[in-house]
Amino acid sequence: MQKFSVPRGTCDILPDEISSWETIENKARQVLRSYGYREIRTPVYEETTLFKRSLGQTSDIVNKQLLELATSKDEGYALRPEGTASVVRSYLENSFDKKEPLSKFFYIGPMFRGERPQKGRLRQFHQIGVEAIGPNSASPYLDAEILALAMHLLNDFGVKGAKLKINSLGSKEDKEVISSLFRKEFSKHKKDLCEDCQSRFERNVFRVLDCKNESCRKVVNAAMGSDVHLPLSVGSLQYFNNVQSMLKDLGIRHEVSRHLVRGLDYYTHTVFEITAEGLGSQDAVGAGGRYSGLIHELGGDPKTDYGAVGFALGIERILLASGATQPAPSTIDAFVIAMDEVGQKQAFKLVNDLRHVGISADMNYNGGKIGSQMNRANKLNARFALILGEEEMKSCSIAVKNMTNGAQENVALKDVLEYLRNTF
Ligand code: HAM
């Protein structure tokens, strides 16, 4: 018989692991709401062109990692590789720009990229993402708030050794100036660039800046000299300095990295990445930045000057970096045990009644010996075993056994709901 297994680069999140996921998700929702973010849920697939337009034709995600739906009906759609494009699509489609000066969204959900799987790199992974979008909303305060929020979340999740690296790519115009400057410079040293960068530098010269190859690094360092950041215009540099001084005011430590450029085309001005300990080579636990230009790119009102900034954190990497991967056993309030057919019927009704008053309950649907039913109650970590033995059935009562201290009491069947409600 053919055996089936989970697709490569994906995994089952099993019941024992769910409590770690719930803890992260619940904490996230609580913190995000305290910063004024509201949840948005968009489909897991969108038109392929939405991603091509947003992330850029030259990005690795569009070039190599888009998982497109190939059925005849759904041609032209792809699973979402990230959440920003979908949120901007929804922002414009639902005219949020006409309704409020700043929309603060968050999302929690699966993303899909056709990557080569390794530790911390999956084909289906989960992100907690945040996007703040609005007309005339660009402000260094908002950039600083977004960075503070990312660090706040990671701290609350117990992520160890979180380090924040930031950079500024400048305005759209700055990016063009910087591109042609570096393109001219790198063309003089084309033969010293690695194969990837030789093809990259025509299409997206920024990607050469973050290449880890030794010889590319030398070319980049020679071109950049002693500058700590990219050659920005006065306005962009002022904006970047403001963000940094606000971070300082909030006591958020950061490092400026001139090599940090990010792999997605939509960023301008502030970009950032957060790394953490214990993740191996895939050490980015989260990343983001400002992407104001994307709103026009996806059809925003040409007369409106939009601002947009956000980030996404990878939940699998958060779990790895916080060491919260130990399975937590589940528990149940009551396990009902019956000894015969008539008792089974009573037990079935009682389990139903217990659940309706908010007490979690279960039973063996096929009965069985008392010993094996008690074993099952133990395995489920039941707080109480409720036993309907022969004697109890005769006297219309039930034995209530406290599984923690072994104490046992007989309670009239008609009073057992009330009895347990008072106990919890
Ligand atoms: P990203 O850097 O592509 O940015 O992904 C953000 C985070 O998602 C990464 O730092 C990592 O933790 C996690 N991640 C990405 N790919 C994988 C993978 N294959 N396996 C496991 N985890 C992964 C974005 O997605 C942007 N949309 C962030 C953003 C929001 N920028 C502005 N707004």
Side-chain angles (χ1 to χ4, degrees):
M1 272 293 272
Q2 184 186 356
K3 285 204 175 134
F4 294 98
S5 41
V6 73
R8 205 164 111 79
T10 71
C11 43
D12 297 319
I13 303 162
L14 298 174
D16 279 355
E17 298 164 81
I18 289 294
S19 71
S20 318
W21 283 76
E22 279 181 347
T23 306
I24 299 286
E25 289 166 8
N26 293 342
K27 275 191 187 152
R29 286 197 163 85
Q30 193 192 338
V31 173
L32 290 163
R33 288 190 179 127
S34 75
Y35 281 73
Y37 287 82
R38 293 188 301 153
E39 183 163 359
I40 183 166
R41 299 185 191 191
T42 60
V44 294
Y45 67 92
E46 298 270 358
E47 284 180 61
T48 309
T49 42
L50 172 73
F51 301 124
K52 290 193 171 161
R53 181 83 58 82
S54 309
L55 311 175
Q57 299 281 359
T58 62
S59 66
D60 283 351
I61 297 184
V62 165
N63 269 321
K64 305 183 203 156
Q65 299 165 1
L66 269 190
L67 294 173
E68 296 191 54
L69 303 183
T71 65
S72 55
K73 260 199 227 143
D74 286 329
E75 231 164 309
Y77 292 93
L79 291 172
R80 60 180 185 191
E82 55 101 61
T84 311
S86 308
V87 171
V88 175
R89 195 260 313 130
S90 180
Y91 172 83
L92 292 171
E93 193 172 350
N94 293 292
S95 306
F96 277 95
D97 52 345
K98 310 278 182 300
K99 294 181 208 160
E100 52 192 21
L102 180 67
S103 303
K104 288 172 147 187
F105 302 108
F106 78 85
Y107 49 89
I108 301 178
M111 307 292 159
F112 307 85
R113 295 183 192 176
E115 302 207 67
R116 202 157 41 80
Q118 64 180 84
K119 182 185 170 194
R121 189 164 73 189
L122 294 153
R123 289 189 176 163
Q124 178 179 330
F125 58 97
H126 297 77
Q127 284 185 343
I128 298 169
V130 157
E131 316 291 351
I133 315 169
N136 304 311
S137 68
S139 157
Y141 280 112
L142 196 51
D143 297 47
E145 177 189 285
I146 282 275
L147 288 156
L149 170 56
M151 295 308 274
H152 184 160
L153 284 168
L154 293 174
N155 185 54
D156 278 16
F157 298 153
V159 166
K160 293 179 195 83
K163 280 208 181 92
L164 172 62
K165 278 190 201 155
I166 68 169
N167 195 16
S168 171
L169 304 178
S171 63
K172 193 165 170 251
E173 296 71 34
D174 286 350
K175 274 180 90 174
E176 276 161 23
V177 172
I178 296 168
S179 284
S180 59
L181 203 94
F182 281 123
R183 203 170 286 134
K184 212 158 109 200
E185 195 55 35
F186 296 157
S187 63
K188 293 185 213 153
H189 307 279
K190 200 170 171 186
K191 61 174 188 353
D192 298 325
L193 297 175
C194 72
E195 215 173 290
D196 270 352
C197 285
Q198 291 202 11
S199 67
R200 261 180 201 155
F201 99 95
E202 289 295 348
R203 288 181 287 129
N204 183 355
V205 72
F206 282 94
R207 295 310 313 277
V208 180
L209 299 178
D210 75 346
C211 182
K212 306 272 183 301
N213 183 294
E214 197 56 38
S215 141
C216 298
R217 271 277 151 115
K218 270 192 193 149
V219 175
V220 171
N221 286 339
M224 292 191 75
S226 58
D227 289 349
V228 285
H229 43 68
L230 297 170
L232 303 173
S233 60
V234 175
S236 297
L237 184 57
Q238 184 61 49
Y239 191 97
F240 189 39
N241 286 339
N242 285 342
V243 174
Q244 288 185 68
S245 96
M246 286 161 191
L247 285 178
K248 210 167 153 219
D249 290 345
L250 296 179
I252 292 165
R253 282 210 273 193
H254 63 274
E255 184 192 308
V256 175
S257 167
R258 62 188 193 175
H259 296 289
L260 180 66
V261 294
R262 311 275 300 122
L264 311 172
D265 269 9
Y266 51 55
Y267 293 110
T268 48
H269 290 284
T270 317
V271 285
F272 67 97
E273 196 170 88
I274 305 164
T275 55
E277 282 166 13
L279 291 176
S281 62
Q282 301 301 313
D283 64 350
V285 73
R290 185 159 275 289
Y291 55 90
S292 305
L294 180 62
I295 322 298
H296 282 147
E297 202 60 41
L298 297 185
D301 177 1
K303 294 193 289 296
T304 304
D305 183 17
Y306 295 95
V309 60
F311 65 80
L313 309 174
I315 302 185
E316 284 81 358
R317 294 189 193 174
I318 290 170
L319 289 168
L320 280 172
S322 60
T325 40
Q326 271 76 17
S330 49
T331 58
I332 192 166
D333 295 326
F335 191 80
V336 185
I337 295 172
M339 304 313 300
D340 57 23
E341 237 346 89
V342 188
Q344 268 306 83
K345 282 199 166 167
Q346 288 271 16
F348 189 58
K349 170 85 174 51
L350 178 57
V351 164
N352 182 60
D353 292 345
L354 287 166
R355 291 169 180 165
H356 277 267
V357 295
I359 296 172
S360 58
D362 222 329
M363 63 182 282
N364 260 12
Y365 301 103
N366 295 322
K369 293 211 171 84
I370 179 132
S372 76
Q373 294 198 55
M374 284 302 277
N375 277 346
R376 181 96 185 106
N378 268 321
K379 281 245 164 67
L380 291 173
N381 287 310
R383 293 174 65 187
F384 289 91
L386 308 182
I387 307 155
L388 280 165
E390 228 173 278
E391 284 308 310
E392 286 84 9
M393 291 293 287
K394 268 190 213 148
S395 59
C396 286
S397 67
I398 190 161
V400 178
K401 179 169 179 158
N402 182 325
M403 299 293 277
T404 322
N405 59 17
Q408 189 163 321
E409 230 183 302
N410 250 43
V411 178
L413 204 47
K414 66 174 177 37
D415 297 331
V416 70
L417 282 188
E418 203 49 39
Y419 175 91
L420 287 176
R421 265 171 118 171
N422 291 337
T423 317
F424 289 117

